[in-house]
Amino acid sequence: MRAAVYDRYGPPEVVQLREIPKPTPQANEVLIEVRATTVGAGDWRGRTLDMPAGFGLMGRLFFGISRPRQPILGSELAGRVESVGKEVTRFKAGDEVFAFTGGRLGCHAEYKCFPQDEGVAQKPANLTWDEAAAMSSGGTTALHFLKKGNLRKGEKVLVNGASGGVGTAAVQLARHFGADVTGVCSAGNAELARSLGARRVIDYTQEDFTTNGETYDVIVDTAGTAPFSRSKDSLKEGGRLLLVLSGLADLLLVPWVSMTSSRKVIAGPATWCTEDLEFLAGLARAGEFRPVIDRRYPFGKIADAHRYVETGRKKGNVIITVGNDDVT
Ligand SMILES: NC(=O)c1ccc[n+]([C@@H]2O[C@H](COP(=O)([O-])OP(=O)(O)OC[C@H]3O[C@@H](n4cnc5c(N)ncnc54)[C@H](OP(=O)(O)O)[C@@H]3O)[C@@H](O)[C@H]2O)c1
């Protein structure tokens, strides 16, 4: 089978399609024939080791000291179950599924094995392969932070970076939880943020939300431009700042903020479980959550997708089409 492999850190060209052996499912695993996958922020960080400030060493320890430990990037996919191990009861050959590996990666391949109860869920029939492939990364990250932030119905939420992979999910989920959502993005993406449920949109090139006098119960920062030092005056008493993207210094400040202020900062890596995927799938079936698709690239052009995603300006998710759905 073909897989996008990289064996050294560097520019997009280090990722190359290669023939590698097709995996065989273990007794408890399903083998998925991949139809679509995504290139996300975690993939270009894993390729370049360009980490948020202060996390350089941790990035190297995680991805591999001198060369990538996991040579295949990609954390999410959608596809059809081709075969199952003899102990598998939850899936059968032919099932349409979406799946998430989180930090274990390995989805940029034509086939991928998953344990039946770790990161696989039935694909909502009303989603395309592209949309199903993009369900997990932004969705579980936004869900993790909104849950940790204890978002309640009727609260005012601001999502900084509302048009990105995490931001488009956060706007939809916050609206689903009954919040009054303000999105921050560039003017060209204002309509997108509104269509996802933002009642108000701020163009960060024209207005600084941290100095306009508005206050929020919850601020979600996916862009890394709203650390506590900048956004504390925009948080109400008891407000929560959810730092999806933060430097090490912001992370180390978290206990200090809790001790000295009525406000709270939540930062660090998002966690997830298979129930989160089922929850997102349920929302998708009910028409409450739909991953946003920006560009699609054929598998053979995956390096171009890396180049685009690395700009930090994608709208929602960037898709790689694989197998039968591969476009040229
Ligand atoms: N903590 C975790 O576990 C976790 C999990 C997933 C991702 N992340 C991190 O979260 C970050 C966001 O990921 P993503 O997939 O959402 O990235 P993305 O899709 O590249 O989105 C970034 C968004 O930020 C917006 N933006 C850029 N500059 C901005 C500014 N000055 N003010 C406000 N918005 C701005 C862009 O919108 P415009 O184009 O409209 O400017 C873009 O839509 C990444 O750095 C990723 O590594 C962390």
Side-chain angles (χ1 to χ4, degrees):
M1 69 163 188
R2 291 179 309 161
V5 176
Y6 80 128
D7 35 36
R8 64 184 172 91
Y9 300 115
E13 294 70 32
V14 299
V15 178
Q16 291 177 350
L17 287 202
R18 281 198 208 140
E19 282 294 329
I20 63 165
K22 182 176 167 181
T24 307
Q26 304 292 304
N28 190 37
E29 287 185 335
V30 299
L31 174 66
I32 302 172
E33 181 198 356
V34 180
R35 303 297 288 267
T37 177
T38 62
V39 174
D43 297 316
W44 71 256
R45 289 196 187 284
R47 172 178 53 75
T48 58
L49 281 190
D50 182 345
M51 297 292 147
F55 284 107
L57 179 60
M58 252 178 267
R60 218 171 248 284
L61 290 174
F62 181 80
F63 286 104
I65 306 277
S66 57
R67 55 179 11 234
R69 188 176 297 125
Q70 159 58 287
I72 304 175
L73 294 164
S75 64
E76 55 188 344
L77 61 80
R80 190 170 270 124
V81 174
E82 186 181 86
S83 61
V84 301
K86 59 180 186 305
E87 289 167 14
V88 171
T89 52
R90 294 186 57 224
F91 299 95
K92 59 181 185 324
D95 281 356
E96 297 187 348
V97 295
F98 69 100
F100 188 43
T101 57
R104 294 193 308 273
L105 304 168
C107 291
H108 292 165
E110 287 181 316
Y111 293 88
K112 172 85 185 142
C113 285
F114 282 78
Q116 64 166 338
D117 40 18
E118 264 183 61
V120 195
Q122 299 284 353
K123 167 185 167 295
N126 58 334
L127 296 190
T128 63
W129 290 116
D130 294 358
E131 290 168 332
M135 283 281 283
S136 307
S137 181
T140 57
T141 302
L143 192 59
H144 164 91
F145 279 95
L146 294 177
K147 281 206 266 189
K148 283 258 176 188
N150 195 21
L151 177 66
R152 292 182 291 269
K153 193 173 175 180
E155 287 194 316
K156 272 181 76 180
V157 179
L158 177 136
V159 179
N160 189 39
S163 52
V166 180
T168 51
V171 170
Q172 295 184 73
L173 293 177
R175 187 217 48 190
H176 168 75
F177 292 133
D180 175 5
V181 185
T182 296
V184 180
C185 54
S186 58
N189 290 327
E191 206 35 60
L192 169 66
R194 268 193 207 95
S195 73
L196 299 172
R199 204 170 56 78
R200 181 161 185 253
V201 180
I202 295 172
D203 171 2
Y204 63 81
T205 67
Q206 301 298 316
E207 184 180 341
D208 181 352
F209 81 85
T210 65
T211 58
N212 68 2
E214 286 288 321
T215 55
Y216 302 90
D217 299 291
V218 172
I219 294 175
V220 186
D221 182 19
T222 78
T225 57
F228 188 69
S229 54
R230 277 197 72 222
S231 51
K232 59 182 184 302
D233 293 339
S234 307
L235 281 172
K236 293 184 181 183
E237 284 289 313
R240 288 85 74 203
L241 173 63
L242 314 181
L243 295 178
V244 178
L245 174 56
S246 66
L248 185 58
D250 304 310
L251 193 64
L252 296 176
L253 213 65
V254 169
W256 176 250
V257 173
S258 297
M259 281 191 294
T260 56
S261 145
S262 73
R263 289 137 178 111
K264 202 171 165 189
V265 179
I266 290 155
T271 56
W272 63 277
C273 59
T274 307
E275 286 69 36
D276 294 335
L277 303 185
E278 313 272 9
F279 175 77
L280 292 168
L283 291 189
R285 288 187 190 100
E288 289 282 295
F289 179 69
R290 191 162 208 120
V292 170
I293 307 303
D294 182 353
R295 298 187 185 177
R296 315 168 82 214
Y297 293 83
F299 203 14
K301 293 273 166 49
I302 193 167
D304 293 344
H306 271 267
R307 198 168 292 111
Y308 176 55
V309 171
E310 196 174 341
T311 63
R313 304 298 304 276
K314 69 179 163 65
K315 302 177 222 343
N317 302 281
V318 168
I319 301 295
I320 304 299
T321 53
V322 185
N324 290 346
D325 280 353
D326 208 349
V327 291
T328 50

